[in-house]
Amino acid sequence: MMRVIEQLEQRLQLGKIETAYQREVCEPQGPVVRYQCGDCQSINHTSNDGRKVHEVELRLLVEVPIALVNFDMAALDLSSRIERELFNERFGCADDVEETRLISNLPRRFNPENGVFLRVVTIKQRILMGPIDDNAVEIIGIKNNVEGTS
């Protein structure tokens, strides 16, 4: 998960993306992106290479201060940029993950007391865990010598 966060920080030049779990509520001065780990399920089968499969959910929370003009459009723009960066991405681990699937990109909270509007981009990705089985099978063809062919 941290590889996803690091890539988003670099590609979108957002600065440090912190966890969504904060000890105190404060009004952001500009758009802020935070992450939250979602559901994690062990899939009851193995991949083609014998490894266990886990499906992991990641939520990226886009907080925008309502003091910004068109704060809802600013949140939509940033969440859509995040969505495009994540779409079908494998984050340099092509052998260990399947394609990223977008689950939702929805407004979640309008909090005028704290001056915040929130959108959440939710993705899921299957991760292959453990060592690869070394039970390789080589298929060797047999050349038939058929009469009349060379």
Side-chain angles (χ1 to χ4, degrees):
M1 286 300 167
M2 294 313 295
R3 184 175 288 248
V4 175
I5 302 303
E6 291 168 3
Q7 292 227 353
L8 282 176
E9 289 171 347
Q10 291 173 1
R11 290 182 184 177
L12 297 175
Q13 299 175 348
L14 296 173
K16 185 78 176 143
I17 297 177
E18 302 286 339
T19 179
Y21 299 106
Q22 303 293 318
R23 292 179 59 114
E24 61 185 55
V25 178
C26 58
E27 182 178 350
Q29 301 304 309
V32 175
V33 178
R34 301 184 196 281
Y35 72 90
Q36 183 180 53
C37 297
D39 296 339
C40 179
Q41 295 178 326
S42 294
I43 308 301
N44 196 21
H45 64 79
T46 56
S47 65
N48 290 340
D49 58 13
R51 294 187 285 173
K52 299 286 186 190
V53 180
H54 296 272
E55 188 166 69
V56 178
E57 181 181 83
L58 178 65
R59 298 181 193 124
L60 293 147
L61 294 71
V62 176
E63 297 179 4
V64 177
I66 60 175
L68 284 180
V69 177
N70 297 324
F71 61 87
D72 54 341
M73 295 304 287
L76 177 62
D77 177 60
L78 183 51
S79 66
S80 295
R81 287 174 43 213
I82 290 170
E83 183 181 317
R84 284 191 302 272
E85 287 297 326
L86 296 173
F87 189 69
N88 289 332
E89 182 60 50
R90 293 181 186 228
F91 309 104
C93 303
D95 294 337
D96 298 327
V97 298
E98 293 181 6
E99 292 178 341
T100 305
R101 295 183 337 271
L102 176 71
I103 303 303
S104 63
N105 181 350
L106 299 170
R108 289 287 189 210
R109 182 177 64 208
F110 176 67
N111 191 337
E113 296 84 32
N114 297 317
V116 175
F117 179 72
L118 176 73
R119 284 191 77 88
V120 180
V121 178
T122 304
I123 62 167
K124 281 192 177 183
Q125 191 165 42
R126 287 189 174 184
I127 300 172
L128 309 176
M129 305 290 281
I132 297 174
D133 285 346
D134 284 336
N135 298 335
V137 177
E138 184 176 351
I139 300 173
I140 301 173
I142 298 173
K143 184 176 180 180
N144 290 332
N145 191 3
V146 178
E147 193 174 312
T149 60
S150 53

